[in-house]
Amino acid sequence: MLKLYGGARSRASIVHWYLEELKVPYEFVKLDMQAGVHLKPEYLAINPVGKVPAIVDGDFKLWESGAILLYLADKYSKTSLSPEERAVFYQWVLFANATLGPGIFVEASREREMPRLLTPLNEIFSKQPFLLGDEFTVADVAVGSILSYIPIMLKLDLSSYPEVLNYIKHLSERPAFQKSIGGKA
């Protein structure tokens, strides 16, 4: 059975959410980060950087939330994708981790980055319910989790982005979200 390693209030909740969406059986292994379990040799054999999340799927080990999401999409998603379609998923997952997350959570650049990042997202969500159209995908887990953390962790005013707020609300009502990120609020 697939094992997901994470800690309290960690990015493992993003992977947890997607596993719930996919209905993939898994075991959640909660590491006591305060006690330094993530720095012990047993865990460093899974992730030499000592960060969470990480997964072990049979003999396969993988860490970094975006890589894990893409792996899970490739392995467990029920749709086959062309290289171009897969690249669009990669684009959004990488955008969430490398651009959106730092743009929102790094206070020094937040004032400049928030309008630049949220205005186009607001426009997308004014035309369709999910990032790529009418269907919920791994892209929504990646981007939606970062956006959902804004009201949970930062309490920023998003009233200038009503469609983003509606998107966050829509995602937060999903049962799999409730079992993962929504249960952490």
Side-chain angles (χ1 to χ4, degrees):
M1 178 184 294
L2 186 143
K3 289 185 179 183
L4 167 61
Y5 293 83
R9 298 186 63 88
S10 74
R11 293 178 66 89
S13 61
I14 299 168
V15 176
H16 181 193
W17 177 17
Y18 195 45
L19 285 167
E20 289 290 334
E21 292 283 353
L22 292 170
K23 296 179 176 34
V24 171
Y26 66 95
E27 174 189 348
F28 182 71
V29 180
K30 187 174 180 181
L31 301 178
D32 185 347
M33 308 293 278
Q34 300 290 26
V37 173
H38 60 297
L39 301 175
K40 302 259 187 239
E42 303 79 44
Y43 185 70
L44 292 174
I46 296 167
N47 181 354
V49 178
K51 300 272 189 178
V52 294
I55 62 167
V56 175
D57 191 9
D59 293 332
F60 182 65
K61 300 170 188 163
L62 187 65
W63 46 277
E64 189 57 43
S65 63
I68 295 168
L69 290 177
L70 292 168
Y71 166 76
L72 294 172
D74 279 346
K75 184 166 183 178
Y76 297 104
S77 176
K78 295 180 180 27
T79 56
S80 59
L81 302 172
S82 70
E84 293 79 9
E85 290 167 321
R86 186 175 285 114
V88 172
F89 287 138
Y90 294 175
Q91 168 188 274
W92 283 110
V93 171
L94 293 169
F95 166 78
N97 287 355
T99 305
L100 183 62
I104 299 297
F105 286 93
V106 175
E107 192 173 354
S109 60
R110 183 182 301 142
E111 189 175 326
R112 178 185 74 243
E113 290 297 309
M114 250 180 70
R116 203 165 94 181
L117 299 170
L118 296 186
T119 299
L121 288 172
N122 200 68
E123 180 66 23
I124 289 169
F125 300 134
S126 74
K127 296 176 183 158
Q128 58 200 38
F130 299 109
L131 276 170
L132 302 178
D134 292 329
E135 187 179 332
F136 178 87
T137 69
V138 68
D140 295 294
V141 173
V143 172
S145 60
I146 300 296
L147 293 174
S148 296
Y149 284 143
I150 296 171
I152 294 171
M153 299 167 89
L154 299 176
K155 312 284 192 243
L156 300 176
D157 178 14
L158 297 180
S159 60
S160 298
Y161 313 101
E163 299 302 331
V164 169
L165 282 169
N166 187 45
Y167 175 74
I168 293 169
K169 180 183 180 305
H170 183 65
L171 292 181
S172 72
E173 293 167 349
R174 296 178 70 84
F177 182 95
Q178 288 297 313
K179 287 182 179 178
S180 54
I181 294 172
K184 311 251 187 284

